[in-house]
Amino acid sequence: MTLRTLILLRHAKAETPGELLDFDRSLTERGMSDADAAGAWLVDERLHPDLVICSPAKRTRQTWQAASLALAQGDQAHGAPEVHYRDQLYYGGRTEVFDLLRAVPDTVRTILVVGHNPTVSEVSALLVPDAQWDGATVELKTSGLAVHTSEAPWSSVEPGSMSLSHRHVARG
């Protein structure tokens, strides 16, 4: 069987809403540094995505861009992953994330989803199998990553179907 890896990344620290539309909020200076640190952590853990599914909001795009620069600098052996910006990651919830994952071809081994809370934390908690669940709900902080693995095809991703192998909060 082929091991499949799902990396969930909550966007880095963004500006306070203020006058801007939520969709247009940018990362803060700290957020840019933390997003870079998330990419460096992925390199250190040898987690290179084949596919990135990212919310189209400005702060998630900036998080992916900063992380991807760190990935490219630290791991030049891999090419750039395919990137899809999906409205469902901004306007939808956990059901839409599961739908997006189930539609991924099984030739893809590693997916990075860059999204928002509470959705990314909920998806991570839901994926954990009952045997691994310790009853604690862990909310991903900004620049927080959760790595889940399974040998099952993407089409069968459902609650309880992917073991949690890592949790990390990237700080630059």
Side-chain angles (χ1 to χ4, degrees):
M1 289 233 124
T2 301
L3 184 67
R4 290 179 177 72
T5 303
L6 171 63
I7 307 158
L8 298 168
L9 170 59
R10 181 180 174 195
H11 66 76
K13 180 75 176 160
E15 329 176 278
T16 332
E19 297 287 319
L20 288 174
L21 293 173
D22 181 70
F23 190 86
D24 296 326
R25 290 171 47 212
S26 294
L27 293 184
T28 62
E29 190 173 316
R30 180 187 128 200
M32 291 298 286
S33 177
D34 291 350
D36 179 70
W41 183 81
L42 291 171
V43 170
D44 290 346
E45 295 298 316
R46 293 188 174 102
L47 293 167
H48 190 87
D50 303 309
L51 173 65
V52 175
I53 306 173
C54 185
S55 161
K58 187 172 187 176
R59 61 192 177 275
T60 48
R61 287 183 288 125
Q62 288 178 323
T63 298
W64 163 239
Q65 289 164 353
S68 71
L69 289 174
L71 269 169
Q73 290 173 351
D75 188 2
Q76 296 174 355
H78 289 90
E82 187 175 336
V83 181
H84 296 245
Y85 296 95
R86 296 290 186 241
D87 288 341
Q88 298 96 313
L89 290 177
Y90 183 77
Y91 296 105
R94 58 191 187 206
T95 300
E96 287 76 11
V97 174
F98 278 96
D99 290 344
L100 286 169
L101 294 173
R102 286 185 199 113
V104 173
D106 286 333
T107 54
V108 173
R109 290 181 145 193
T110 303
I111 301 172
L112 171 64
V113 173
V114 186
H116 309 268
N117 258 4
T119 302
V120 291
S121 291
E122 290 173 352
V123 169
S124 181
L126 284 168
L127 284 169
V128 177
D130 288 342
Q132 192 183 20
W133 181 250
D134 63 4
T137 301
V138 179
E139 181 174 322
L140 291 173
K141 298 183 182 308
T142 56
S143 299
L145 296 115
V147 181
H148 293 267
T149 59
S150 175
E151 291 185 352
W154 293 114
S155 59
S156 65
V157 171
E158 61 183 38
S161 67
M162 297 189 84
S163 295
L164 178 65
S165 61
H166 295 83
R167 276 201 194 269
H168 178 74
V169 178
R171 294 291 183 242

